[in-house]
Amino acid sequence: MTATVDKGRSPALKGRWAAMPKQVRWAAIAALIVLLYILPNRWFYEYLGFPIGSEYFAFYTTRSDFAGVLFDTAVFVLLAVGLNVVVGFAGLLDLGYFGFYALGAYTVALLTSPESRLGTNWPWLAAVPIAVMVAMISGVILGGPTLRLRGDYLAIVTLGFAEMIRLYAARNEGVLQGQRGIPAIPHPPGTGSDGKPLFGVVDARPYYWLLLTLILLVIVLVRNLANSRVGRAWVATREDEDAAEVMGVPTFKYKLWAFAIGAAVAGLTGAVFAGKQTFINSDQFVLESSILVLAAVILGGAGNIKGAIVGGAITWYLPEWLRGVGDLVGVEFDAAEYRILVFGLVIIVMMIFRPQGIVPNRRRAAEFADRRQEAVPQEKVPSE
Amino acid sequence: MNFDELLGNFPALTITGLEQGAIYALVALGYTLVYGVLRLINFAHSEVFMVGTFTALWTWEALGYDQNSPSPALGPLILALVAGLVVAAVASAATAVTVELVAYRPLRRRNAPPLAFLITAIGASFVLAESFGIGTERAPFGMPTLIPAETAFTVFGAAVTNIQLLILGVTLVMMIGLDQFVNRSRLGRGIRAVAQDADTAALMGVNKNRVILLVFVLGGLMAGVAALLWNVRYGYTKFNVGFLIGLKAFAAAVLGGIGNLRGALLGGLLLGVAENYAAGLFGGDWKDFTGFVLLIVLLMFRPTGLLGESLGRARA
């Protein structure tokens, strides 16, 4: 049995990309980023000559506001990039990622909303760092006892954590105001050129741009971390924790770091979400979403930031887009209803046939192939 | 903090706790068995339980009972209970086996890392829950009242109902049966051998895959029994009914020492009782948190549980 190491989709394409002059590559990346910023603008499509609002659906979602969909997709991408640090880099399974997201959102809501019973009335911007810190600290509190033991306990503890946060938010009629939730969360600050506030209720574009900027920032940070001493420690821990420990890597410390960084990114995302939504309650933080983010990371390719981006875009954007396509074909088809089912199946199938994901991290793909090769003898018992 | 509530209802809370704990214990067995042999948290086990609750309900519906039908006489009642039990146990076991064959075995063949198993497990769990959720339109379903709750006797002023006796009785019988099976029978020896050292056991002629299959069957059967008891006691089910039960059952398994069968019983009963005390003390809203908080505290101070882990050493 020959285990083939899958090195990306096509080595030729990758090689050609790497062979291009640095300036060309930078220009291409810059062009892509600019395109991402223009994407939600209507005039862009009108300029290109696409008849908006008619039958056209190349990648426009016809059923829901496109900028809104882009914002939600960006939320998922940022979450996937954060979770990728935990699952992909450090190899820890965090099933309650949305719990930290909820913490971030609630922290902002409590601190800023005039309806909040804390009565602090902070501006949105001041509450964001607090939200990130709260998420990070709760990650340390949760990860501390669990990560010292086996990693697999972390999975169930985080699973419980996310659900407990949601249940608590739903039941607590005091500060968190139960199912009614917390309304009147202020928007991010800023005034547009026309004198109106930059971040309003109707237009989702500024929020998308804000999130896109944050995504780029987080990506730069995470990339640098992954390429540093910390990143190497993560890889070593993921591949063989005992060996890493023997080699002098303080595995517990780095695992906790990965977990806390992941939690902080989720808290940040939650804070932005609260700023856009202006109203949050416990129903927005269902457990299924945690699983969707996990599916995004796995599907895209854990350990690869590009993979996380691709995965995040697929898990959120694709079902929305399919709804529009269904309309066009004349089928009433709510892809969102089947989302969890489909992505659950996708996770199972991927783990068996392509555990490295769509855009694999080369190193991780090699790990899988390695283990596969080691597996063969003991399972080939003739009686099977 | 409401100490009056706790002390005033102490016997009643204890009895309710034992009854709920018995159900946790039965579900916890499934986690403990699979964990003992495969070192895998089988997230899909909560859905194995859920399938049991639905199939038992459908069996009763097929027998002509619905929510409004009067409770049957003793003869038909026993028939309905046994039919529900058999169908639920078989369906749960079949679900567990399907998950093993479709999801876990291919991974073992590829020697996938532990993370891949966990991810697959959560995927399987959600696929099962969602297919029932979509199939039943996410509605809750009421059960026929087969056994009307009657007080059998009172201890310290707390009423013990016939249903509670049934639950505790069935759980004890199942536990003793399973314990004897694992400790005495040839197949049970195989389970213990694989739990101790899978490779050596394979060299000694134990068919590892068959043992693993057996473990899933046993866990599924226990979950099916738990599902029937749940139906009789709580009288409703929903596609996500397994989630909280599964979480608590896992906490119970860790509490008793995961991989330890008797630990699962002890952990389940303790958790059930602790939960009800907490509900008395802090109010019902906090009940569901107890198991979770207990789990985290336990992981901090005694991660191997009360009776210690390892199915391999389950003789003691």
Side-chain angles (χ1 to χ4, degrees):
Chain A
M1 196 179 164
T2 51
T4 47
V5 184
D6 196 320
K7 286 186 178 128
R9 273 152 308 171
S10 72
L13 193 73
K14 209 164 187 171
R16 231 185 305 161
W17 170 251
M20 265 191 254
K22 204 171 183 181
Q23 293 86 338
V24 178
R25 277 187 288 162
W26 276 110
I29 291 172
L32 183 68
I33 290 171
V34 170
L35 179 71
L36 283 175
Y37 274 98
I38 322 182
L39 220 47
N41 291 316
R42 256 187 121 87
W43 55 257
F44 174 58
Y45 301 92
E46 275 153 14
Y47 177 77
L48 291 179
F50 296 150
I52 296 290
S54 64
E55 303 286 87
Y56 185 75
F57 67 94
F59 48 89
Y60 209 83
T61 52
T62 49
R63 272 287 280 275
S64 26
D65 169 39
F66 189 50
V69 172
L70 280 181
F71 172 80
D72 291 340
T73 309
V75 165
F76 256 75
V77 168
L78 187 50
L79 286 174
V81 169
L83 186 62
N84 181 43
V85 175
V86 187
V87 176
F89 292 154
L92 306 165
L93 189 52
D94 182 349
L95 293 176
Y97 201 57
F98 244 62
F100 299 111
Y101 175 77
L103 272 183
Y106 265 104
T107 309
V108 166
L110 284 176
L111 287 175
T112 60
S113 167
E115 303 271 326
S116 151
R117 301 210 175 137
L118 288 189
T120 38
N121 275 329
W122 288 16
W124 180 82
L125 205 57
V128 172
I130 306 291
V132 174
M133 264 168 57
V134 166
M136 200 163 179
I137 289 170
S138 60
V140 172
I141 292 173
L142 203 61
T146 347
L147 286 172
R148 235 177 251 287
L149 307 162
R150 283 184 291 261
D152 49 2
Y153 278 3
L154 185 73
I156 195 126
V157 168
T158 47
L159 186 70
F161 166 74
E163 191 62 7
M164 292 302 139
I165 293 266
R166 191 185 67 78
L167 276 177
Y168 184 74
R171 288 176 186 171
N172 182 299
E173 289 296 331
V175 179
L176 300 182
Q177 303 181 25
Q179 298 241 280
R180 277 169 300 134
I182 303 173
I185 304 163
H187 292 296
T191 315
S193 49
D194 52 356
K196 284 183 196 150
L198 195 57
F199 293 91
V201 182
V202 184
D203 194 359
R205 285 180 305 167
Y207 298 99
Y208 167 70
W209 289 326
L210 174 67
L211 214 45
L212 193 59
T213 316
L214 286 175
I215 290 175
L216 292 174
L217 276 174
V218 170
I219 286 177
V220 170
L221 283 174
V222 169
R223 258 184 79 106
N224 286 342
L225 261 181
N227 291 331
S228 72
R229 185 188 177 83
V230 183
R232 288 193 298 278
W234 284 336
V235 171
T237 313
R238 184 183 73 207
E239 287 192 1
D240 190 334
E241 201 173 325
D242 295 334
E245 191 75 46
V246 168
M247 291 298 158
V249 178
T251 52
F252 171 69
K253 185 178 125 191
Y254 284 117
K255 281 196 291 184
L256 198 56
W257 261 116
F259 195 62
I261 290 171
V265 173
L268 174 70
T269 321
V272 177
F273 175 76
K276 171 176 185 282
Q277 221 61 15
T278 68
F279 162 77
I280 56 165
N281 74 356
S282 58
D283 294 343
Q284 291 158 341
F285 308 106
V286 288
L287 189 73
E288 280 80 3
S289 311
S290 294
I291 305 306
L292 269 187
V293 182
L294 180 72
V297 173
I298 303 298
L299 187 66
N304 189 331
I305 298 172
K306 276 174 247 155
I309 299 168
V310 171
I314 290 177
T315 39
W316 195 264
Y317 168 75
L318 204 60
E320 288 291 338
W321 179 71
L322 279 177
R323 283 209 299 192
V325 176
D327 271 0
L328 200 68
V329 192
V331 199
E332 184 61 38
F333 170 67
D334 190 356
E337 168 81 8
Y338 298 94
R339 194 180 288 167
I340 302 283
L341 181 66
V342 169
F343 286 115
L345 282 171
V346 166
I347 287 182
I348 299 179
V349 173
M350 289 285 281
M351 274 296 124
I352 296 173
F353 295 107
R354 200 179 160 86
Q356 66 271 38
I358 298 173
V359 191
N361 171 307
R362 199 186 296 175
R363 195 177 178 102
R364 259 187 122 246
E367 280 166 38
F368 280 111
D370 244 22
R371 293 187 65 107
R372 202 174 299 182
Q373 229 170 4
E374 285 168 14
V376 183
Q378 65 172 11
E379 290 286 339
K380 272 201 176 159
V381 184
S383 66
E384 251 306 283
Chain B
M1 297 272 241
N2 189 347
F3 284 103
D4 288 346
E5 169 81 16
L6 176 65
L7 294 174
N9 294 322
F10 198 76
L13 289 173
T14 313
I15 291 165
T16 322
L18 287 176
E19 161 208 39
Q20 290 173 351
I23 296 180
Y24 300 154
L26 282 176
V27 180
L29 286 173
Y31 284 105
T32 254
L33 279 167
V34 171
Y35 195 91
V37 169
L38 284 181
R39 309 264 128 199
L40 161 73
I41 301 175
N42 182 15
F43 284 107
H45 193 62
S46 49
E47 268 51 62
V48 168
F49 169 84
M50 180 271 296
V51 170
T53 61
F54 271 102
T55 45
L57 171 64
W58 293 336
T59 315
W60 292 339
E61 281 176 351
L63 288 174
Y65 298 101
D66 61 32
Q67 266 176 281
N68 303 321
S69 50
S71 339
L74 192 63
L77 170 68
I78 292 178
L79 181 74
L81 284 182
V82 170
L85 182 73
V86 170
V87 172
V90 168
S92 288
T95 312
V97 166
T98 311
V99 172
E100 144 71 3
L101 291 180
V102 173
Y104 300 144
R105 186 171 287 187
L107 288 181
R108 277 208 307 285
R109 202 169 293 146
R110 289 171 169 78
N111 191 23
L115 186 67
F117 281 93
L118 281 174
I119 293 169
T120 306
I122 196 76
S125 167
F126 270 83
V127 167
L128 283 170
E130 280 297 303
S131 32
F132 271 76
I134 292 168
T136 62
E137 293 176 337
R138 300 177 200 278
F141 289 83
M143 303 277 169
T145 318
L146 291 178
I147 310 175
E150 281 170 21
T151 307
F153 55 86
T154 51
V155 213
F156 299 113
V160 180
T161 65
N162 47 356
I163 295 180
Q164 291 172 326
L165 284 180
L166 176 80
I167 291 177
L168 285 169
V170 170
T171 306
L172 281 180
V173 169
M174 296 308 290
M175 273 301 312
I176 294 171
L178 184 68
D179 194 58
Q180 292 301 309
F181 177 79
V182 170
N183 280 328
R184 300 258 158 119
S185 73
R186 197 180 152 79
L187 287 170
R189 191 156 46 182
I191 295 180
R192 281 181 290 135
V194 174
Q196 257 175 14
D197 186 334
D199 292 340
T200 314
L203 289 174
M204 299 296 146
V206 180
N207 187 331
K208 191 175 143 194
N209 275 328
R210 207 176 291 164
V211 163
I212 291 170
L213 212 54
L214 176 67
V215 159
F216 276 94
V217 169
L218 288 176
L221 288 177
M222 295 296 152
V225 175
L228 180 99
L229 296 176
W230 166 274
N231 282 3
V232 170
R233 170 66 178 84
Y234 294 96
Y236 86 97
T237 187
K238 208 184 167 191
F239 75 103
N240 60 5
V241 73
F243 182 82
L244 267 182
I245 299 283
L247 198 64
K248 290 175 185 176
F250 181 80
V254 176
L255 185 62
I258 196 159
N260 186 325
L261 294 182
R262 291 171 195 185
L265 179 66
L266 179 70
L269 295 179
L270 271 181
L271 178 63
V273 171
E275 212 176 59
N276 277 282
Y277 291 162
L281 202 56
F282 305 110
D285 285 358
W286 289 94
K287 198 178 145 201
D288 293 337
F289 294 89
T290 320
F292 182 67
V293 173
L294 213 58
L295 179 65
I296 297 212
V297 172
L298 199 73
L299 290 180
M300 272 188 218
F301 297 107
R302 189 166 166 80
T304 51
L306 297 173
L307 296 188
E309 339 194 304
S310 176
L311 189 59
R313 278 181 275 122
R315 272 205 108 91

